[in-house]
Amino acid sequence: MSNIKLGVEVISAHGLFQRDKQNSCSPFVELKFDNQIFRTTTKPNDPNPVWHESFYFLVSDPSFLSTHTLEAHVFSYQDESDAKPFLGKVRVNGTSFVPRSEAAPFNYPLEKRSVFSRARGELGLRVFITDDPSITPSVSESPRAYIPSPRREHVSSLITDDADERRELKKPITRTFYNATPSVNQQQPATMNYGMHEMRAAAPMPPRVVQYNGPTPPLDFSVKETSPFLGGGQIIGGRVVRGTKRPASGAYDLVEEMRFLFVRVVKARDLPDRDLTGSLDPYVEVKIGNFKGVTRHLDKNSDPEWNQVFAFAKENLQSNVLEIVVKDKDLVLDDYVGTVRFDLHEVQSRVPPDSPLAPEWYRLENKRQEKKKRAEIMLAVWEGTQADEAFGDAVFSDSLTSSDSSDIISANLRSKVYHSPRLWYLRVRIIEAQDVIIVSDKSRLPEAFVRIQMGNQMLKTRVSQRTFHPTWDQEFMFVVAEPFEENLVLSVEDHSEPNRDEPVGKAVIPLAAIEKRTDDKKFRSRWFHLEDSISDAMDEDKAKKVKFATRIHVAAALEGGYHVFDESTYYSSDLRPTAKQLWKPPIGVLELGILDANGLHPVKTRDGKGVSDTYVVAKYGHKWVRSRTVINSLSPKYNEQYTWEVFDPATVLTICVFDNGHFGEGKNRDQTIGKVRIRLSTLQSGRVYTNAYPLLVLQPSGLKKRGELHLAVRFTCTSVSNMLMKYTKPLLPKMHYTQPLSVNLQEVLRVQALNIMVARLGRSEPPLRREVVEYMTDAKTHLFSMRRSKANFYRFTAVFSGVMSVWKWMGEVCSWRTPVTTALVHVLYTMLVMFPEMILPTVFLYMAVIGLWNYRFRPRFPPHMDTKLSYAESVNADELDEEFDIFPTMKAPDIVKMRYDRLRIVAGKIQSVVGDIAAQGERVQALLSWRDPRATAIFVTFCLIIAMVMYITPFKLFALLSGYYFMRHPRLRHRIPSAPLNFFRRLPAMTDSML
């Protein structure tokens, strides 16, 4: 039986609905989890009760813990009946359960049980998971009855009285019920799936290109819809056409089937010794035709163990014989030890979910194909697909190099899954210090400040006035990552001279000791003694000694209610808060099939020809995936499938292709080949999108297309109602609105979060390099770019082009260019003025009709990089050189001067436009400010006259006459501006008051 227990601490409730006759309530809480029920005690006549009672549920099957739900129902006790008036309920999903060390109290809003029920207030719970064997599950062997009556002092007399005793038996008690065995037949949440049954071997047909029905970008840069043969059949128009191929029984159906010959080299025994030097340095070569895989060599070992897997693509095999050769590593010439041969026609196939094939011992043969007496090697050889469990750990034939297949090289070839660390905001408030004394001169008043260091992040407070008890009261924000291995270091220093700071003392606060909070409630502050060094500050025994010392008053908290931005805000793939107890259940599953790439451009030269060693990285949420590296191929095939849980449709999946610089000369940086972004809200639920995306890269030499990437994407919605409700919820967690962070602070914290993520992912094996993480997260989009500035300006004009078009059309109506149209507008305007209640229905009906009409022209697949929108086709070389320049710049002074002058010209135009807009607003303010007394007097007189006219004139008549005057015939117009416009332009602005 599992030792895992779910702990629930019922803390308090407030603002409960008052249901009884005394305008109050006597609440108690009923907890339900995994067919177990616990009840708290009853708090009589208390709408804001406090319990602080803990219960422990037995978890029957920890593997299904995330699928269970904890329910907390709040009822009110009534003395005169068995009824339990409902006050509200709380549901906590299993995905938000966290260990006890991470759990923090959280106030859950009470929900209604039905449409007609009434509920309000909040319930404070602390939910956590524990495996502490000293804690036993709560059992009601001796149930505790709580008497919710003010007559508690008369309990003895009540028990002796039979009628009162029967009344006491009706009162709620704390009890545990075990109704049935918990069900374990529930489906687990979707995770990355590698299982797929074997399908019939068939020669894959080339993808069929379907006509492009979307907008018309340049042909070379357009997205093409393809129809590959995936696991479930041929995909045409986003649907699987059955009958073209036997459907796969597993869920691995977004990639094309690839047949592999798997060879597992486990170990060898009784290998012969050398003649003079003793034991061998054995290694194994696995050869089929021109393909050769090499294991690592082991020094001085006659019973070596390798346990390595090699995979050879069936479509590239050039021989029907598999040779496994054992050799002895030598400085001059490797010695031959023995061989095992297999006829590929006799190799059996394996289909998951069958158990792995058991390896067997094979006797080595000499060069004359004679069996040796003792030397043996343990092997397993079978045929399979990419659904095989050995697929992830295998070294592939298209990834084999001429060098030794060492562990480092093999690690940089395999596909891997990474999880970025969970990031927290650390809020530190430096309040004050006491008894700040300078050791060198105790009589001098210090000018103290505090230097706060958190890892590589360092901030400091302002310098206080000269005093022994300085006060700062400043807040600072840092980014930290789990696990909390670092300490918060506070250093109080004295600014004794302009270029000299003298340390006073240090305090060290472990991150694990800082409290966590999930809301905007106040967190407690503490006093810390300052020590001379960090080692003294970390010495707990020395800190416990009571003595006179300088103290610092600090308040710190780990903010779990924020979402820590580690990527660009516009391309965020996760918007959940840090604290797991605030996570909502997933609304769907995202599946990505990385099929292949074609038409790639050579990145490096090897053996006199251009090659590329490419791999694909995909990121969504905290999960990063990296495909295997395909060596020496400009048309690599990956056929790998990955899965993510989706919590918000307004998120973006990012896929990038890189060239592996580990196999180049000098091990250069991983070069970028292209990027694909897919916003989930643009995907239809359940449809399979199979497209070939162009890989576009903007370089200092211009825009380049470096190939195409074939992807298969499917978004499956598990709850339509939850997904639709997401569109009505705030985009960010609650803390971003109740206690918002400034834009500048968010940008600084984003840079800190990115550096932490780069450091953590760089510690993996194989590591994700800095250039990969920065390119995936668009880390440099905030830097200035003339091209991007022009593109944003054109986007701005495109947004308001509709308003300008309507204004131009209205000008044509007023000029009577088409008399029939102008007459119809007069009729429509008259109807709307006479029946104003029809204005809003007409507007909304018009928008609905436009939306239904545009349904015919909806996009058939997700949008991709638009080269015209990005202003990437017409940008000049100097602007690109400026965009890719480092910060700070290292260009020649004359180039910097030229770019600075160009920037001044652009900024001057923007300055003029902003000044003109401000001047128009200031003229409006000048109407009643009496800055121009004659103009204000004229306007006030005009307003009085219009007010008296409007009192005696019907509003509809005034509106009709105003509209007819605005649309009057050109013969009734003058070429010069109207009097109101002349009057407005003569009003003063604040421009003449500027220097």
Side-chain angles (χ1 to χ4, degrees):
M1 181 176 293
S2 172
N3 195 34
I4 302 297
K5 292 170 283 293
L6 177 68
V8 181
E9 181 181 356
V10 183
I11 301 175
S12 62
H14 63 273
L16 298 179
F17 189 75
Q18 301 175 1
R19 300 294 295 265
D20 58 8
K21 299 178 181 179
Q22 288 79 23
N23 234 359
S24 183
C25 59
S26 301
F28 66 93
V29 181
E30 190 174 88
L31 303 173
K32 299 180 181 180
F33 177 79
D34 201 3
N35 292 322
Q36 306 168 52
I37 302 177
F38 298 124
R39 291 179 181 174
T40 66
T41 55
T42 304
K43 300 298 182 181
N45 301 326
D46 189 359
N48 300 298
V50 178
W51 285 284
H52 284 292
E53 299 182 18
S54 299
F55 303 91
Y56 295 92
F57 293 89
L58 181 65
V59 180
S60 58
D61 191 347
S63 61
F64 292 92
L65 181 62
S66 60
T67 63
H68 290 295
T69 302
L70 170 67
E71 295 186 4
H73 296 256
V74 184
F75 298 99
S76 179
Y77 171 76
Q78 287 187 351
D79 192 18
E80 63 275 4
S81 65
D82 294 334
K84 299 187 299 182
F86 178 77
L87 300 180
K89 69 175 182 178
V90 169
R91 292 171 58 89
V92 183
N93 296 293
T95 55
S96 62
F97 296 160
V98 296
R100 188 169 190 172
S101 59
E102 301 180 11
F106 183 73
N107 291 324
Y108 296 90
L110 293 175
E111 303 175 356
K112 296 182 179 180
R113 182 166 51 185
S114 63
V115 179
F116 303 100
S117 61
R118 305 175 66 180
R120 70 181 183 189
E122 294 180 341
L123 177 64
L125 300 175
R126 182 170 176 258
V127 184
F128 55 88
I129 303 171
T130 180
D131 57 354
D132 190 354
S134 62
I135 299 177
T136 57
S138 305
V139 181
S140 62
E141 297 179 356
S142 57
R144 297 173 291 148
Y146 187 90
I147 304 174
S149 171
R151 306 187 303 271
R152 180 177 290 181
E153 62 272 10
H154 304 294
V155 172
S156 59
S157 62
L158 290 175
I159 295 178
T160 56
D161 188 14
D162 293 340
D164 292 339
E165 185 174 1
R166 287 193 299 270
R167 188 180 300 115
E168 290 298 319
L169 294 177
K170 297 180 182 179
K171 297 182 178 180
I173 59 176
T174 304
R175 183 174 299 170
T176 307
F177 300 90
Y178 296 96
N179 296 331
T181 303
S183 174
V184 296
N185 295 325
Q186 304 180 18
Q187 185 177 2
Q188 294 187 13
T191 56
M192 185 169 61
N193 195 338
Y194 285 101
M196 182 181 71
H197 288 278
E198 180 188 18
M199 298 178 290
R200 295 177 183 175
M205 294 180 62
R208 183 173 67 88
V209 179
V210 183
Q211 183 180 1
Y212 173 63
N213 297 321
T216 57
L219 181 61
D220 195 33
F221 299 152
S222 62
V223 180
K224 303 179 182 64
E225 186 174 3
T226 60
S227 298
F229 283 88
L230 303 185
Q234 186 179 13
I235 303 296
I236 298 179
R239 301 180 183 276
V240 180
V241 180
R242 303 293 181 182
T244 58
K245 199 174 184 181
R246 182 172 66 88
S249 58
Y252 203 84
D253 58 348
L254 289 187
V255 293
E256 296 178 341
E257 184 191 49
M258 295 182 66
R259 307 289 300 181
F260 292 95
L261 174 67
F262 290 97
V263 181
R264 181 184 294 276
V265 182
V266 184
K267 57 184 177 180
R269 65 182 179 186
D270 299 332
L271 296 181
D273 296 338
R274 293 178 181 175
D275 296 337
L276 300 176
T277 59
S279 300
L280 304 176
D281 298 336
Y283 69 93
V284 178
E285 286 185 355
V286 182
K287 298 191 297 183
I288 300 181
N290 294 330
F291 294 101
K292 180 176 69 174
V294 183
T295 67
R296 62 186 181 275
H297 75 275
L298 303 177
D299 296 333
K300 308 298 180 181
N301 197 334
S302 60
D303 296 322
E305 184 172 350
W306 297 281
N307 198 22
Q308 288 185 249
V309 181
F310 298 90
F312 300 87
K314 292 282 290 182
E315 60 183 11
N316 297 329
L317 296 184
Q318 302 170 347
S319 175
N320 294 326
V321 178
L322 168 67
E323 295 184 1
I324 292 94
V325 183
V326 181
K327 292 187 176 183
D328 178 23
K329 188 73 173 178
D330 194 17
L331 296 177
V332 181
L333 181 64
D334 295 347
D335 296 331
Y336 175 86
V337 179
T339 306
V340 175
R341 294 178 175 85
F342 290 89
D343 187 354
L344 297 186
H345 297 291
E346 299 178 359
V347 175
Q348 300 295 322
S349 298
R350 175 182 174 270
V351 182
D354 293 348
S355 299
L357 187 66
E360 300 180 19
W361 287 104
Y362 293 89
R363 189 75 58 84
L364 294 179
E365 300 177 352
N366 56 24
K367 294 182 180 180
R368 296 187 298 273
Q369 298 186 1
E370 297 175 352
K371 298 287 185 181
K372 293 195 173 186
K373 294 182 179 181
R374 298 181 57 188
E376 293 179 324
I377 186 171
M378 180 178 283
L379 303 171
V381 182
W382 72 97
E383 288 187 9
T385 65
Q386 64 265 49
D388 202 288
E389 291 86 351
F391 181 83
D393 297 328
V395 179
F396 295 88
S397 57
D398 54 8
S399 300
L400 297 175
T401 60
S402 58
S403 60
D404 185 15
S405 298
S406 62
D407 293 341
I408 298 177
I409 295 179
S410 300
N412 280 276
L413 295 173
R414 299 192 184 106
S415 57
K416 293 294 180 181
V417 177
Y418 307 83
H419 287 277
S420 57
R422 191 147 62 106
L423 302 177
W424 294 72
Y425 282 148
L426 173 63
R427 188 186 298 270
V428 180
R429 183 184 175 195
I430 307 298
I431 304 175
E432 59 180 336
Q434 289 185 353
D435 303 325
V436 179
I437 300 176
I438 308 302
V439 178
S440 58
D441 187 2
K442 297 183 179 181
S443 61
R444 183 174 64 84
L445 293 175
E447 298 182 19
F449 68 94
V450 181
R451 194 186 302 274
I452 310 108
Q453 182 176 358
M454 183 65 250
N456 295 329
Q457 311 166 49
M458 184 177 295
L459 299 173
K460 64 179 182 179
T461 65
R462 63 178 181 273
V463 178
S464 68
Q465 299 179 354
R466 292 183 176 273
T467 177
F468 290 116
H469 308 292
T471 301
W472 298 281
D473 198 14
Q474 289 182 260
E475 277 193 355
F476 303 90
M477 296 286 288
F478 299 90
V479 179
V480 296
E482 294 182 351
F484 301 132
E485 301 173 347
E486 299 176 336
N487 298 322
L488 176 65
V489 180
L490 306 177
S491 176
V492 179
E493 301 180 11
D494 173 40
H495 187 64
S496 56
E497 296 179 5
N499 295 322
R500 180 185 176 186
D501 297 326
E502 182 179 350
V504 177
K506 299 179 183 294
V508 177
I509 306 175
L511 287 181
I514 298 177
E515 66 172 309
K516 303 174 182 177
R517 69 167 187 170
T518 57
D519 48 26
D520 56 349
K521 294 185 178 179
K522 293 184 178 180
F523 49 94
R524 63 189 182 93
S525 59
R526 297 171 58 188
W527 287 93
F528 294 91
H529 293 283
L530 298 184
E531 302 293 344
D532 295 335
S533 63
I534 296 180
S535 58
D536 293 340
M538 297 180 63
D539 189 354
E540 297 182 358
D541 296 336
K542 187 173 183 179
K544 292 180 180 179
K545 298 179 181 179
V546 180
K547 65 176 185 178
F548 176 80
T550 304
R551 300 194 305 168
I552 184 171
H553 194 192
V554 179
L558 291 168
E559 299 283 4
Y562 289 98
H563 168 71
V564 180
F565 287 99
D566 54 359
E567 53 192 342
S568 178
T569 309
Y570 304 107
Y571 315 126
S572 293
S573 60
D574 185 21
L575 299 172
R576 293 174 295 172
T578 301
K580 284 188 176 180
Q581 55 262 41
L582 300 181
W583 291 2
K584 301 297 182 183
I587 63 172
V589 176
L590 174 65
E591 297 168 275
L592 171 66
I594 305 174
L595 302 179
D596 54 55
N598 55 30
L600 298 181
H601 289 194
V603 177
K604 63 188 72 170
T605 302
R606 183 178 296 134
D607 297 332
K609 63 178 182 179
V611 296
S612 290
D613 308 327
T614 57
Y615 65 93
V616 182
V617 179
K619 177 190 183 300
Y620 184 79
H622 292 174
K623 181 179 176 181
W624 299 59
V625 298
R626 170 177 174 162
S627 73
R628 59 192 179 92
T629 301
V630 180
I631 302 294
N632 298 338
S633 178
L634 300 181
S635 298
K637 291 186 177 181
Y638 306 100
N639 285 303
E640 301 181 20
Q641 182 171 341
Y642 301 94
T643 305
W644 290 268
E645 289 184 336
V646 178
F647 295 87
D648 197 311
T651 47
V652 177
L653 169 68
T654 305
I655 308 106
C656 298
V657 183
F658 298 91
D659 178 82
N660 198 329
H662 185 85
F663 302 98
E665 297 180 359
K667 298 183 179 180
N668 302 318
R669 293 163 54 94
D670 291 354
Q671 296 190 33
T672 59
I673 296 180
K675 178 187 296 184
V676 176
R677 294 195 197 100
I678 300 176
R679 184 169 289 274
L680 268 61
S681 58
T682 63
L683 302 179
Q684 296 181 16
S685 179
R687 179 183 174 184
V688 180
Y689 292 85
T690 54
N691 301 102
Y693 294 88
L695 298 174
L696 306 177
V697 176
L698 192 62
Q699 297 177 337
S701 58
L703 179 65
K704 303 293 183 181
K705 178 183 177 182
R706 308 187 70 173
E708 290 184 343
L709 179 64
H710 291 231
L711 301 174
V713 183
R714 178 172 57 200
F715 169 59
T716 305
C717 178
T718 57
S719 176
V720 179
S721 59
N722 290 342
M723 183 179 67
L724 296 180
M725 286 299 296
K726 277 290 182 181
Y727 284 87
T728 65
K729 302 294 184 181
L731 186 64
L732 298 176
K734 181 180 178 181
M735 282 290 289
H736 286 272
Y737 305 99
T738 58
Q739 196 170 354
L741 305 176
S742 64
V743 177
N744 293 334
L745 179 59
Q746 284 190 13
E747 187 62 30
V748 172
L749 295 176
R750 189 179 72 87
V751 174
Q752 296 178 5
L754 178 63
N755 293 332
I756 293 177
M757 189 166 56
V758 167
R760 290 294 181 89
L761 294 178
R763 290 159 52 180
S764 306
E765 187 62 38
L768 283 180
R769 297 186 174 183
R770 170 176 286 273
E771 60 268 20
V772 174
V773 178
E774 289 182 350
Y775 187 69
M776 291 285 294
T777 57
D778 293 282
K780 298 181 179 180
T781 54
H782 63 286
L783 298 179
F784 173 77
S785 167
M786 183 64 71
R787 174 193 61 85
R788 195 176 292 114
S789 301
K790 292 180 180 180
N792 290 334
F793 174 76
Y794 293 142
R795 289 172 57 197
F796 177 82
T797 56
V799 168
F800 291 95
S801 61
V803 178
M804 300 304 297
S805 299
V806 172
W807 182 257
K808 291 180 180 179
W809 175 79
M810 198 62 195
E812 294 178 357
V813 170
C814 296
S815 63
W816 289 73
R817 181 169 300 180
T818 308
V820 176
T821 303
T822 305
L824 292 177
V825 171
H826 278 73
V827 173
L828 178 61
Y829 179 75
T830 304
M831 292 177 59
L832 294 179
V833 171
M834 298 304 297
F835 304 98
E837 63 275 6
M838 296 296 296
I839 295 177
L840 291 179
T842 302
V843 172
F844 286 108
L845 179 62
Y846 179 70
M847 289 191 293
V849 171
I850 292 178
L852 294 175
W853 178 263
N854 290 337
Y855 181 77
R856 300 170 51 196
F857 312 103
R858 67 190 184 279
R860 300 299 178 182
F861 42 82
H864 187 49
M865 309 294 181
D866 192 331
T867 55
K868 289 186 177 180
L869 181 67
S870 304
Y871 201 71
E873 296 179 352
S874 56
V875 62
N876 59 55
D878 183 68
E879 292 178 353
L880 285 176
D881 184 67
E882 180 185 14
E883 182 173 349
F884 287 95
D885 191 12
I886 62 175
F887 186 86
T889 182
M890 301 294 291
K891 296 293 182 180
D894 55 342
I895 298 179
V896 176
K897 179 180 180 298
M898 182 268 295
R899 292 175 178 174
Y900 175 67
D901 292 339
R902 181 178 60 192
L903 184 61
R904 290 178 63 189
I905 294 174
V906 175
K909 295 180 179 179
I910 298 175
Q911 171 184 298
S912 301
V913 173
V914 174
D916 292 341
I917 295 175
Q920 306 305 320
E922 292 168 353
R923 288 192 177 101
V924 174
Q925 296 176 348
L927 287 171
L928 299 173
S929 64
W930 294 93
R931 186 172 181 185
D932 186 343
R934 286 174 292 275
T936 304
I938 294 173
F939 181 72
V940 170
T941 305
F942 174 78
C943 291
L944 291 175
I945 296 173
I946 290 298
M948 290 185 291
V949 172
M950 290 294 295
Y951 271 116
I952 61 177
T953 304
F955 178 76
K956 293 181 180 180
L957 178 60
F958 177 79
L960 280 175
L961 294 177
S962 300
Y964 292 159
Y965 176 78
F966 179 74
M967 294 183 290
R968 65 191 183 276
H969 196 273
R971 293 184 179 180
L972 303 177
R973 298 177 182 271
H974 299 283
R975 293 179 181 270
I976 61 176
S978 61
L981 184 58
N982 294 332
F983 176 79
F984 181 78
R985 289 178 175 175
R986 290 179 177 274
L987 291 173
M990 302 299 294
T991 309
D992 50 355
S993 299
M994 293 185 62
L995 293 175

